[in-house]
Amino acid sequence: MAERIAIIGCGAAGATAAMQARKFNRKAEITVFNTETYSQYSRCGLPYTISGKVREFDDLILMPPDNWEMLKIDAKLGVTVTKIDHDKKELSFEGPDESGSLEYDSLIFATGAVNADPPIKGLDKDRVYGLRTMDDAKALAKEADKAKNILIVGGGLVGMETAEAFHERGLNVTVVEFLPNILLAMVDSDMAEIIEGHCVEHGLKIMCNSAAKEVLGDKSPRAVLVESRETGETEEITADAVVVATGVRPVTEMAQSIGVETGPTRGIVVDDKMETNLKGVYACGDCAEHVDFITGKPMAGGLGTVAVRQARVAGINAAGGDERFPGIVGAKVTKLFGLEIASTGLTENLADRFEVKVKKGSVRGMTKPPYYVGGKEIKVKTYYDADEGKLVGGQLVGVEDAAMRLNAVTVGIQAHMTAPEFFDFENCYAPAICDTWDPLVTSAEAARKRLRM
Amino acid sequence: MAERIAIIGCGAAGATAAMQARKFNRKAEITVFNTETYSQYSRCGLPYTISGKVREFDDLILMPPDNWEMLKIDAKLGVTVTKIDHDKKELSFEGPDESGSLEYDSLIFATGAVNADPPIKGLDKDRVYGLRTMDDAKALAKEADKAKNILIVGGGLVGMETAEAFHERGLNVTVVEFLPNILLAMVDSDMAEIIEGHCVEHGLKIMCNSAAKEVLGDKSPRAVLVESRETGETEEITADAVVVATGVRPVTEMAQSIGVETGPTRGIVVDDKMETNLKGVYACGDCAEHVDFITGKPMAGGLGTVAVRQARVAGINAAGGDERFPGIVGAKVTKLFGLEIASTGLTENLADRFEVKVKKGSVRGMTKPPYYVGGKEIKVKTYYDADEGKLVGGQLVGVEDAAMRLNAVTVGIQAHMTAPEFFDFENCYAPAICDTWDPLVTSAEAARKRLRM
């Protein structure tokens, strides 16, 4: 049994791995290193510190430093691991108050990801930000009091949530998205268009199929030069501040330095035990590459839910246990200006990329029965593989009950349900809640017919 | 292939059976008989005509009479089937405008259920009501303008929804429940107590473990004599009007007259094709007895969702198809004074009755992450059979997102998931929606430990 466990990184993955290792093994010596000085905080909560839906920055701290002591875990905050000698199973670390070395039996990489800055000129100016860390959020919250016009490069989840937050604070917000629609890593184009319409109606300016070329201005931005990818025409969009949210890349340098392998997604390759190619060395969270639940093909997580589930497995196994991670379904959800957007499993794009032939059931329904006041429109799509008819994905967009409906699809995917089986799903029904045939079920019915099942 | 299909009853079951038969078989001659003069309406929506959440009675009509013509279905409304000669495959019917006989190849009983009046004296007075039909609802809606004090006998779903509706109209409402808690056909006692507390806080008077003995008064009620089942003491509860909502019994007399068998729940016994012991004779909805999905033991539906699913199978099979009904999970949900109450599969009571040994996972969680403003408390229980650890039930109570969470449990039950599998469920997560480990998942974790799986 591993008696000395070292964990590099203290985000959702690192902190969960440490806690789960402790739960499983009361005697192990557990050390967590975090380059940031903060103890574990919710990264996904950061945009909401701008809008005030998270009241205080400290509210985001999920693991108060005292708790580490209680758990008898040595959390070295503000301390960076600088070198690993894996032959000796020893790592070196440096911090402002403390530097030294530590021997380990098991090692867990939970090094996360960093912003992958795109090739845009002028990103080195003041008032140009990413939103990945607590310090990023603190800086951006100040911009909310100062800036009038803000431009967000990237219409993914972080970009859109940040755009909403600034809009709620009264700023003029422009989102510049390189692809033809926002949120394409999450939903199909038709769904994205509904979302875009909703956000524009609420006051966002969204420029899709557009490349931010250069941040213009002296020390700080005055405008951003944006090029239409369709026409090639450029336009200057006024901006006092810029947020770059064009995705992340996994942090793997330290792992690679000891011979840990990375895969096609650039993450650290792990097996179902979250173990790397080196025995006793694990990885979890945003730095790791596991597999897509449906196809078994390499996939990065990039989700808090995936990070904590992988970390649980890594932590327990590092401490001598025997747990398995089942693969990444990729359930994603957000809420923008009251609109719930939910997606799980394969989208059309993802199915293409993984070469899965799919059939879909697509319906527009109502969240409640037609006779009951206040029901809202909801658009639902479910996807099934064309060969066996197994449920492989689902997307929902609506102003109520889209996200929670998604969970039923995810369970169906994880249970390998077919379209006829999902059609047999006995959804709950009451006039105040939803109708006898839920739109999820009617989407399965539509797909079932196409599948001739 | 059956060319002449007769359907007795035009509630959710009868109307669905007719439509599905037509969808499957364009040539069949389909006749639906309804003793009520209304075309198909939503029975579950009736309480909401009192509160105004359903604006007009006509809004409840789900199948406008013209649609029958369009579907080339002969809907005989206000017409009663008086006799069936199954040897000749001929039935007789009587109505105000039309009487006669009809030959059939297939026959579907969708005769529903009627209120089972309990042994209470004085139920024959004026202003004493059931709530099963459109006419009941119309009469009750008038009481909302007239009565000051109303007493509801029976704290089941119909009783509680009716109580809420009258309370919203400003009446003093007392619910008298014979059992120790309300809603015990749906939830365990601990959940019922949360609901009772919530309803009392909102102004309902609830008397549990209490028997309504007699409706006092002359022509109409002045009070109801209620006896405490604990102390035997009686009390007069002032009431201008009384609603009796103590459950229903299936209507099977006509079916029995031709030799169709009923079962221990008093419903018409059907197989997975919804066929009775007589070939070509089907039953569906509240008059039918199928089986519990989990145990395969006899079970009455009594739910709109079950009725339409059974009716779809009966209708298609009566028209020459070959569909199967998978059994009744029994997903139930309602909303009382903003509190969502959801239950699926086996409750503690039901597990006892069916002699299933269960282990549970019970947690109190929050609907949203702790750092995000506005999350609400939710109580979640999931049940697993003690032998194999398979998911067999779930209950949720909370002011948001309880009902939609239930659907994930139902899918898990229908997919025969075990506790470890349900624990692996990758719930969706976003600060504005819910946390990384959904309470559903932590309930599975708690159960998993008890099951030692």
Side-chain angles (χ1 to χ4, degrees), chain A residues 406-428:
Chain A
L406 184 79
N407 282 335
V409 184
T410 301
V411 173
I413 292 173
Q414 294 192 259
H416 306 285
M417 271 187 163
T418 62
E421 286 166 349
F422 197 56
F423 171 68
D424 271 339
F425 157 42
E426 188 190 311
N427 62 265
C428 64

mmCIF file with all atom_site columns, all heavy atoms in Angstrom, chain A residues 406-428:
data_model
loop_
_atom_site.group_PDB
_atom_site.id
_atom_site.type_symbol
_atom_site.label_atom_id
_atom_site.label_alt_id
_atom_site.label_comp_id
_atom_site.label_asym_id
_atom_site.label_entity_id
_atom_site.label_seq_id
_atom_site.pdbx_PDB_ins_code
_atom_site.Cartn_x
_atom_site.Cartn_y
_atom_site.Cartn_z
_atom_site.occupancy
_atom_site.B_iso_or_equiv
_atom_site.pdbx_formal_charge
_atom_site.auth_seq_id
_atom_site.auth_comp_id
_atom_site.auth_asym_id
_atom_site.auth_atom_id
_atom_site.pdbx_PDB_model_num
ATOM 1   N N   . LEU A 1 406 ? -31.726 16.822 -19.129 1.00 0.00 ? 406 LEU A N   1
ATOM 2   C CA  . LEU A 1 406 ? -30.529 16.236 -19.734 1.00 0.00 ? 406 LEU A CA  1
ATOM 3   C C   . LEU A 1 406 ? -30.050 15.014 -18.952 1.00 0.00 ? 406 LEU A C   1
ATOM 4   O O   . LEU A 1 406 ? -29.560 14.041 -19.548 1.00 0.00 ? 406 LEU A O   1
ATOM 5   C CB  . LEU A 1 406 ? -29.396 17.269 -19.763 1.00 0.00 ? 406 LEU A CB  1
ATOM 6   C CG  . LEU A 1 406 ? -28.132 16.789 -20.472 1.00 0.00 ? 406 LEU A CG  1
ATOM 7   C CD1 . LEU A 1 406 ? -28.328 16.897 -21.977 1.00 0.00 ? 406 LEU A CD1 1
ATOM 8   C CD2 . LEU A 1 406 ? -26.906 17.581 -20.049 1.00 0.00 ? 406 LEU A CD2 1
ATOM 9   N N   . ASN A 1 407 ? -30.173 15.075 -17.635 1.00 0.00 ? 407 ASN A N   1
ATOM 10  C CA  . ASN A 1 407 ? -29.657 13.984 -16.805 1.00 0.00 ? 407 ASN A CA  1
ATOM 11  C C   . ASN A 1 407 ? -30.275 12.636 -17.170 1.00 0.00 ? 407 ASN A C   1
ATOM 12  O O   . ASN A 1 407 ? -29.608 11.606 -17.110 1.00 0.00 ? 407 ASN A O   1
ATOM 13  C CB  . ASN A 1 407 ? -29.901 14.291 -15.327 1.00 0.00 ? 407 ASN A CB  1
ATOM 14  C CG  . ASN A 1 407 ? -28.898 15.302 -14.780 1.00 0.00 ? 407 ASN A CG  1
ATOM 15  O OD1 . ASN A 1 407 ? -27.800 15.428 -15.315 1.00 0.00 ? 407 ASN A OD1 1
ATOM 16  N ND2 . ASN A 1 407 ? -29.270 15.996 -13.730 1.00 0.00 ? 407 ASN A ND2 1
ATOM 17  N N   . ALA A 1 408 ? -31.534 12.648 -17.558 1.00 0.00 ? 408 ALA A N   1
ATOM 18  C CA  . ALA A 1 408 ? -32.177 11.399 -17.959 1.00 0.00 ? 408 ALA A CA  1
ATOM 19  C C   . ALA A 1 408 ? -31.502 10.826 -19.210 1.00 0.00 ? 408 ALA A C   1
ATOM 20  O O   . ALA A 1 408 ? -31.353 9.606  -19.354 1.00 0.00 ? 408 ALA A O   1
ATOM 21  C CB  . ALA A 1 408 ? -33.667 11.620 -18.211 1.00 0.00 ? 408 ALA A CB  1
ATOM 22  N N   . VAL A 1 409 ? -31.079 11.718 -20.097 1.00 0.00 ? 409 VAL A N   1
ATOM 23  C CA  . VAL A 1 409 ? -30.393 11.266 -21.318 1.00 0.00 ? 409 VAL A CA  1
ATOM 24  C C   . VAL A 1 409 ? -29.027 10.671 -20.949 1.00 0.00 ? 409 VAL A C   1
ATOM 25  O O   . VAL A 1 409 ? -28.640 9.613  -21.448 1.00 0.00 ? 409 VAL A O   1
ATOM 26  C CB  . VAL A 1 409 ? -30.195 12.427 -22.318 1.00 0.00 ? 409 VAL A CB  1
ATOM 27  C CG1 . VAL A 1 409 ? -29.573 11.919 -23.612 1.00 0.00 ? 409 VAL A CG1 1
ATOM 28  C CG2 . VAL A 1 409 ? -31.524 13.122 -22.604 1.00 0.00 ? 409 VAL A CG2 1
ATOM 29  N N   . THR A 1 410 ? -28.317 11.352 -20.074 1.00 0.00 ? 410 THR A N   1
ATOM 30  C CA  . THR A 1 410 ? -26.996 10.857 -19.683 1.00 0.00 ? 410 THR A CA  1
ATOM 31  C C   . THR A 1 410 ? -27.098 9.473  -19.049 1.00 0.00 ? 410 THR A C   1
ATOM 32  O O   . THR A 1 410 ? -26.298 8.574  -19.370 1.00 0.00 ? 410 THR A O   1
ATOM 33  C CB  . THR A 1 410 ? -26.328 11.846 -18.705 1.00 0.00 ? 410 THR A CB  1
ATOM 34  O OG1 . THR A 1 410 ? -26.218 13.127 -19.343 1.00 0.00 ? 410 THR A OG1 1
ATOM 35  C CG2 . THR A 1 410 ? -24.943 11.375 -18.314 1.00 0.00 ? 410 THR A CG2 1
ATOM 36  N N   . VAL A 1 411 ? -28.074 9.299  -18.165 1.00 0.00 ? 411 VAL A N   1
ATOM 37  C CA  . VAL A 1 411 ? -28.245 7.964  -17.561 1.00 0.00 ? 411 VAL A CA  1
ATOM 38  C C   . VAL A 1 411 ? -28.547 6.945  -18.656 1.00 0.00 ? 411 VAL A C   1
ATOM 39  O O   . VAL A 1 411 ? -27.992 5.843  -18.653 1.00 0.00 ? 411 VAL A O   1
ATOM 40  C CB  . VAL A 1 411 ? -29.367 7.972  -16.493 1.00 0.00 ? 411 VAL A CB  1
ATOM 41  C CG1 . VAL A 1 411 ? -29.652 6.558  -16.001 1.00 0.00 ? 411 VAL A CG1 1
ATOM 42  C CG2 . VAL A 1 411 ? -28.970 8.845  -15.312 1.00 0.00 ? 411 VAL A CG2 1
ATOM 43  N N   . GLY A 1 412 ? -29.401 7.313  -19.595 1.00 0.00 ? 412 GLY A N   1
ATOM 44  C CA  . GLY A 1 412 ? -29.724 6.419  -20.702 1.00 0.00 ? 412 GLY A CA  1
ATOM 45  C C   . GLY A 1 412 ? -28.496 6.038  -21.521 1.00 0.00 ? 412 GLY A C   1
ATOM 46  O O   . GLY A 1 412 ? -28.329 4.885  -21.917 1.00 0.00 ? 412 GLY A O   1
ATOM 47  N N   . ILE A 1 413 ? -27.631 7.010  -21.772 1.00 0.00 ? 413 ILE A N   1
ATOM 48  C CA  . ILE A 1 413 ? -26.379 6.731  -22.493 1.00 0.00 ? 413 ILE A CA  1
ATOM 49  C C   . ILE A 1 413 ? -25.521 5.771  -21.681 1.00 0.00 ? 413 ILE A C   1
ATOM 50  O O   . ILE A 1 413 ? -25.029 4.761  -22.193 1.00 0.00 ? 413 ILE A O   1
ATOM 51  C CB  . ILE A 1 413 ? -25.590 8.037  -22.749 1.00 0.00 ? 413 ILE A CB  1
ATOM 52  C CG1 . ILE A 1 413 ? -26.320 8.929  -23.750 1.00 0.00 ? 413 ILE A CG1 1
ATOM 53  C CG2 . ILE A 1 413 ? -24.181 7.720  -23.256 1.00 0.00 ? 413 ILE A CG2 1
ATOM 54  C CD1 . ILE A 1 413 ? -25.690 10.321 -23.922 1.00 0.00 ? 413 ILE A CD1 1
ATOM 55  N N   . GLN A 1 414 ? -25.364 6.072  -20.405 1.00 0.00 ? 414 GLN A N   1
ATOM 56  C CA  . GLN A 1 414 ? -24.478 5.250  -19.571 1.00 0.00 ? 414 GLN A CA  1
ATOM 57  C C   . GLN A 1 414 ? -25.027 3.834  -19.395 1.00 0.00 ? 414 GLN A C   1
ATOM 58  O O   . GLN A 1 414 ? -24.278 2.899  -19.126 1.00 0.00 ? 414 GLN A O   1
ATOM 59  C CB  . GLN A 1 414 ? -24.229 5.940  -18.224 1.00 0.00 ? 414 GLN A CB  1
ATOM 60  C CG  . GLN A 1 414 ? -23.438 7.237  -18.402 1.00 0.00 ? 414 GLN A CG  1
ATOM 61  C CD  . GLN A 1 414 ? -22.917 7.807  -17.091 1.00 0.00 ? 414 GLN A CD  1
ATOM 62  O OE1 . GLN A 1 414 ? -23.497 8.730  -16.549 1.00 0.00 ? 414 GLN A OE1 1
ATOM 63  N NE2 . GLN A 1 414 ? -21.823 7.270  -16.598 1.00 0.00 ? 414 GLN A NE2 1
ATOM 64  N N   . ALA A 1 415 ? -26.340 3.684  -19.558 1.00 0.00 ? 415 ALA A N   1
ATOM 65  C CA  . ALA A 1 415 ? -26.960 2.364  -19.442 1.00 0.00 ? 415 ALA A CA  1
ATOM 66  C C   . ALA A 1 415 ? -27.079 1.667  -20.803 1.00 0.00 ? 415 ALA A C   1
ATOM 67  O O   . ALA A 1 415 ? -27.676 0.602  -20.904 1.00 0.00 ? 415 ALA A O   1
ATOM 68  C CB  . ALA A 1 415 ? -28.345 2.491  -18.811 1.00 0.00 ? 415 ALA A CB  1
ATOM 69  N N   . HIS A 1 416 ? -26.514 2.279  -21.841 1.00 0.00 ? 416 HIS A N   1
ATOM 70  C CA  . HIS A 1 416 ? -26.523 1.696  -23.188 1.00 0.00 ? 416 HIS A CA  1
ATOM 71  C C   . HIS A 1 416 ? -27.940 1.416  -23.693 1.00 0.00 ? 416 HIS A C   1
ATOM 72  O O   . HIS A 1 416 ? -28.201 0.424  -24.363 1.00 0.00 ? 416 HIS A O   1
ATOM 73  C CB  . HIS A 1 416 ? -25.712 0.392  -23.218 1.00 0.00 ? 416 HIS A CB  1
ATOM 74  C CG  . HIS A 1 416 ? -24.322 0.546  -22.692 1.00 0.00 ? 416 HIS A CG  1
ATOM 75  N ND1 . HIS A 1 416 ? -23.314 1.155  -23.405 1.00 0.00 ? 416 HIS A ND1 1
ATOM 76  C CD2 . HIS A 1 416 ? -23.782 0.195  -21.503 1.00 0.00 ? 416 HIS A CD2 1
ATOM 77  C CE1 . HIS A 1 416 ? -22.201 1.154  -22.677 1.00 0.00 ? 416 HIS A CE1 1
ATOM 78  N NE2 . HIS A 1 416 ? -22.449 0.586  -21.526 1.00 0.00 ? 416 HIS A NE2 1
ATOM 79  N N   . MET A 1 417 ? -28.855 2.307  -23.390 1.00 0.00 ? 417 MET A N   1
ATOM 80  C CA  . MET A 1 417 ? -30.245 2.133  -23.827 1.00 0.00 ? 417 MET A CA  1
ATOM 81  C C   . MET A 1 417 ? -30.378 2.332  -25.330 1.00 0.00 ? 417 MET A C   1
ATOM 82  O O   . MET A 1 417 ? -29.705 3.194  -25.909 1.00 0.00 ? 417 MET A O   1
ATOM 83  C CB  . MET A 1 417 ? -31.125 3.166  -23.135 1.00 0.00 ? 417 MET A CB  1
ATOM 84  C CG  . MET A 1 417 ? -31.672 2.704  -21.825 1.00 0.00 ? 417 MET A CG  1
ATOM 85  S SD  . MET A 1 417 ? -32.864 3.940  -21.237 1.00 0.00 ? 417 MET A SD  1
ATOM 86  C CE  . MET A 1 417 ? -33.736 2.971  -20.015 1.00 0.00 ? 417 MET A CE  1
ATOM 87  N N   . THR A 1 418 ? -31.299 1.599  -25.927 1.00 0.00 ? 418 THR A N   1
ATOM 88  C CA  . THR A 1 418 ? -31.615 1.802  -27.340 1.00 0.00 ? 418 THR A CA  1
ATOM 89  C C   . THR A 1 418 ? -32.782 2.788  -27.463 1.00 0.00 ? 418 THR A C   1
ATOM 90  O O   . THR A 1 418 ? -33.461 3.090  -26.479 1.00 0.00 ? 418 THR A O   1
ATOM 91  C CB  . THR A 1 418 ? -32.046 0.489  -28.006 1.00 0.00 ? 418 THR A CB  1
ATOM 92  O OG1 . THR A 1 418 ? -33.232 0.046  -27.347 1.00 0.00 ? 418 THR A OG1 1
ATOM 93  C CG2 . THR A 1 418 ? -30.962 -0.571 -27.899 1.00 0.00 ? 418 THR A CG2 1
ATOM 94  N N   . ALA A 1 419 ? -33.035 3.240  -28.694 1.00 0.00 ? 419 ALA A N   1
ATOM 95  C CA  . ALA A 1 419 ? -34.158 4.166  -28.919 1.00 0.00 ? 419 ALA A CA  1
ATOM 96  C C   . ALA A 1 419 ? -35.485 3.589  -28.436 1.00 0.00 ? 419 ALA A C   1
ATOM 97  O O   . ALA A 1 419 ? -36.240 4.282  -27.750 1.00 0.00 ? 419 ALA A O   1
ATOM 98  C CB  . ALA A 1 419 ? -34.218 4.559  -30.393 1.00 0.00 ? 419 ALA A CB  1
ATOM 99  N N   . PRO A 1 420 ? -35.809 2.315  -28.772 1.00 0.00 ? 420 PRO A N   1
ATOM 100 C CA  . PRO A 1 420 ? -37.072 1.782  -28.250 1.00 0.00 ? 420 PRO A CA  1
ATOM 101 C C   . PRO A 1 420 ? -37.103 1.731  -26.715 1.00 0.00 ? 420 PRO A C   1
ATOM 102 O O   . PRO A 1 420 ? -38.141 1.977  -26.113 1.00 0.00 ? 420 PRO A O   1
ATOM 103 C CB  . PRO A 1 420 ? -37.136 0.369  -28.828 1.00 0.00 ? 420 PRO A CB  1
ATOM 104 C CG  . PRO A 1 420 ? -36.245 0.395  -30.017 1.00 0.00 ? 420 PRO A CG  1
ATOM 105 C CD  . PRO A 1 420 ? -35.173 1.394  -29.720 1.00 0.00 ? 420 PRO A CD  1
ATOM 106 N N   . GLU A 1 421 ? -35.987 1.440  -26.110 1.00 0.00 ? 421 GLU A N   1
ATOM 107 C CA  . GLU A 1 421 ? -35.951 1.411  -24.645 1.00 0.00 ? 421 GLU A CA  1
ATOM 108 C C   . GLU A 1 421 ? -36.124 2.812  -24.064 1.00 0.00 ? 421 GLU A C   1
ATOM 109 O O   . GLU A 1 421 ? -36.830 3.002  -23.072 1.00 0.00 ? 421 GLU A O   1
ATOM 110 C CB  . GLU A 1 421 ? -34.636 0.795  -24.150 1.00 0.00 ? 421 GLU A CB  1
ATOM 111 C CG  . GLU A 1 421 ? -34.596 -0.717 -24.330 1.00 0.00 ? 421 GLU A CG  1
ATOM 112 C CD  . GLU A 1 421 ? -33.194 -1.310 -24.176 1.00 0.00 ? 421 GLU A CD  1
ATOM 113 O OE1 . GLU A 1 421 ? -32.203 -0.539 -24.142 1.00 0.00 ? 421 GLU A OE1 1
ATOM 114 O OE2 . GLU A 1 421 ? -33.091 -2.546 -24.121 1.00 0.00 ? 421 GLU A OE2 1
ATOM 115 N N   . PHE A 1 422 ? -35.491 3.786  -24.706 1.00 0.00 ? 422 PHE A N   1
ATOM 116 C CA  . PHE A 1 422 ? -35.625 5.154  -24.197 1.00 0.00 ? 422 PHE A CA  1
ATOM 117 C C   . PHE A 1 422 ? -37.032 5.679  -24.468 1.00 0.00 ? 422 PHE A C   1
ATOM 118 O O   . PHE A 1 422 ? -37.574 6.467  -23.700 1.00 0.00 ? 422 PHE A O   1
ATOM 119 C CB  . PHE A 1 422 ? -34.563 6.072  -24.812 1.00 0.00 ? 422 PHE A CB  1
ATOM 120 C CG  . PHE A 1 422 ? -34.372 7.355  -24.051 1.00 0.00 ? 422 PHE A CG  1
ATOM 121 C CD1 . PHE A 1 422 ? -34.055 7.348  -22.694 1.00 0.00 ? 422 PHE A CD1 1
ATOM 122 C CD2 . PHE A 1 422 ? -34.506 8.588  -24.669 1.00 0.00 ? 422 PHE A CD2 1
ATOM 123 C CE1 . PHE A 1 422 ? -33.897 8.536  -21.976 1.00 0.00 ? 422 PHE A CE1 1
ATOM 124 C CE2 . PHE A 1 422 ? -34.341 9.779  -23.970 1.00 0.00 ? 422 PHE A CE2 1
ATOM 125 C CZ  . PHE A 1 422 ? -34.035 9.746  -22.624 1.00 0.00 ? 422 PHE A CZ  1
ATOM 126 N N   . PHE A 1 423 ? -37.625 5.206  -25.547 1.00 0.00 ? 423 PHE A N   1
ATOM 127 C CA  . PHE A 1 423 ? -39.019 5.567  -25.819 1.00 0.00 ? 423 PHE A CA  1
ATOM 128 C C   . PHE A 1 423 ? -39.940 5.022  -24.722 1.00 0.00 ? 423 PHE A C   1
ATOM 129 O O   . PHE A 1 423 ? -40.954 5.629  -24.384 1.00 0.00 ? 423 PHE A O   1
ATOM 130 C CB  . PHE A 1 423 ? -39.448 5.045  -27.193 1.00 0.00 ? 423 PHE A CB  1
ATOM 131 C CG  . PHE A 1 423 ? -40.920 5.186  -27.451 1.00 0.00 ? 423 PHE A CG  1
ATOM 132 C CD1 . PHE A 1 423 ? -41.487 6.440  -27.598 1.00 0.00 ? 423 PHE A CD1 1
ATOM 133 C CD2 . PHE A 1 423 ? -41.737 4.072  -27.528 1.00 0.00 ? 423 PHE A CD2 1
ATOM 134 C CE1 . PHE A 1 423 ? -42.854 6.583  -27.814 1.00 0.00 ? 423 PHE A CE1 1
ATOM 135 C CE2 . PHE A 1 423 ? -43.102 4.206  -27.749 1.00 0.00 ? 423 PHE A CE2 1
ATOM 136 C CZ  . PHE A 1 423 ? -43.657 5.461  -27.888 1.00 0.00 ? 423 PHE A CZ  1
ATOM 137 N N   . ASP A 1 424 ? -39.587 3.880  -24.147 1.00 0.00 ? 424 ASP A N   1
ATOM 138 C CA  . ASP A 1 424 ? -40.402 3.283  -23.073 1.00 0.00 ? 424 ASP A CA  1
ATOM 139 C C   . ASP A 1 424 ? -40.235 3.990  -21.728 1.00 0.00 ? 424 ASP A C   1
ATOM 140 O O   . ASP A 1 424 ? -40.913 3.643  -20.759 1.00 0.00 ? 424 ASP A O   1
ATOM 141 C CB  . ASP A 1 424 ? -40.044 1.800  -22.895 1.00 0.00 ? 424 ASP A CB  1
ATOM 142 C CG  . ASP A 1 424 ? -40.880 0.893  -23.783 1.00 0.00 ? 424 ASP A CG  1
ATOM 143 O OD1 . ASP A 1 424 ? -41.962 1.327  -24.226 1.00 0.00 ? 424 ASP A OD1 1
ATOM 144 O OD2 . ASP A 1 424 ? -40.458 -0.246 -24.042 1.00 0.00 ? 424 ASP A OD2 1
ATOM 145 N N   . PHE A 1 425 ? -39.339 4.946  -21.678 1.00 0.00 ? 425 PHE A N   1
ATOM 146 C CA  . PHE A 1 425 ? -39.080 5.700  -20.442 1.00 0.00 ? 425 PHE A CA  1
ATOM 147 C C   . PHE A 1 425 ? -40.383 6.305  -19.899 1.00 0.00 ? 425 PHE A C   1
ATOM 148 O O   . PHE A 1 425 ? -41.072 7.042  -20.590 1.00 0.00 ? 425 PHE A O   1
ATOM 149 C CB  . PHE A 1 425 ? -38.023 6.753  -20.754 1.00 0.00 ? 425 PHE A CB  1
ATOM 150 C CG  . PHE A 1 425 ? -37.975 7.953  -19.865 1.00 0.00 ? 425 PHE A CG  1
ATOM 151 C CD1 . PHE A 1 425 ? -38.103 7.844  -18.485 1.00 0.00 ? 425 PHE A CD1 1
ATOM 152 C CD2 . PHE A 1 425 ? -37.757 9.220  -20.394 1.00 0.00 ? 425 PHE A CD2 1
ATOM 153 C CE1 . PHE A 1 425 ? -38.048 8.959  -17.673 1.00 0.00 ? 425 PHE A CE1 1
ATOM 154 C CE2 . PHE A 1 425 ? -37.690 10.335 -19.594 1.00 0.00 ? 425 PHE A CE2 1
ATOM 155 C CZ  . PHE A 1 425 ? -37.849 10.208 -18.235 1.00 0.00 ? 425 PHE A CZ  1
ATOM 156 N N   . GLU A 1 426 ? -40.693 5.958  -18.667 1.00 0.00 ? 426 GLU A N   1
ATOM 157 C CA  . GLU A 1 426 ? -41.930 6.441  -18.031 1.00 0.00 ? 426 GLU A CA  1
ATOM 158 C C   . GLU A 1 426 ? -41.649 7.757  -17.316 1.00 0.00 ? 426 GLU A C   1
ATOM 159 O O   . GLU A 1 426 ? -41.433 7.781  -16.105 1.00 0.00 ? 426 GLU A O   1
ATOM 160 C CB  . GLU A 1 426 ? -42.447 5.359  -17.060 1.00 0.00 ? 426 GLU A CB  1
ATOM 161 C CG  . GLU A 1 426 ? -43.826 5.675  -16.492 1.00 0.00 ? 426 GLU A CG  1
ATOM 162 C CD  . GLU A 1 426 ? -44.192 4.724  -15.350 1.00 0.00 ? 426 GLU A CD  1
ATOM 163 O OE1 . GLU A 1 426 ? -44.055 3.495  -15.504 1.00 0.00 ? 426 GLU A OE1 1
ATOM 164 O OE2 . GLU A 1 426 ? -44.593 5.228  -14.287 1.00 0.00 ? 426 GLU A OE2 1
ATOM 165 N N   . ASN A 1 427 ? -41.633 8.851  -18.086 1.00 0.00 ? 427 ASN A N   1
ATOM 166 C CA  . ASN A 1 427 ? -41.365 10.150 -17.458 1.00 0.00 ? 427 ASN A CA  1
ATOM 167 C C   . ASN A 1 427 ? -42.448 10.500 -16.448 1.00 0.00 ? 427 ASN A C   1
ATOM 168 O O   . ASN A 1 427 ? -43.591 10.058 -16.581 1.00 0.00 ? 427 ASN A O   1
ATOM 169 C CB  . ASN A 1 427 ? -41.263 11.248 -18.521 1.00 0.00 ? 427 ASN A CB  1
ATOM 170 C CG  . ASN A 1 427 ? -42.546 11.438 -19.299 1.00 0.00 ? 427 ASN A CG  1
ATOM 171 O OD1 . ASN A 1 427 ? -42.708 10.864 -20.372 1.00 0.00 ? 427 ASN A OD1 1
ATOM 172 N ND2 . ASN A 1 427 ? -43.477 12.234 -18.786 1.00 0.00 ? 427 ASN A ND2 1
ATOM 173 N N   . CYS A 1 428 ? -42.069 11.269 -15.444 1.00 0.00 ? 428 CYS A N   1
ATOM 174 C CA  . CYS A 1 428 ? -43.072 11.695 -14.480 1.00 0.00 ? 428 CYS A CA  1
ATOM 175 C C   . CYS A 1 428 ? -43.977 12.732 -15.131 1.00 0.00 ? 428 CYS A C   1
ATOM 176 O O   . CYS A 1 428 ? -43.586 13.397 -16.081 1.00 0.00 ? 428 CYS A O   1
ATOM 177 C CB  . CYS A 1 428 ? -42.421 12.260 -13.227 1.00 0.00 ? 428 CYS A CB  1
ATOM 178 S SG  . CYS A 1 428 ? -41.465 13.767 -13.486 1.00 0.00 ? 428 CYS A SG  1
#
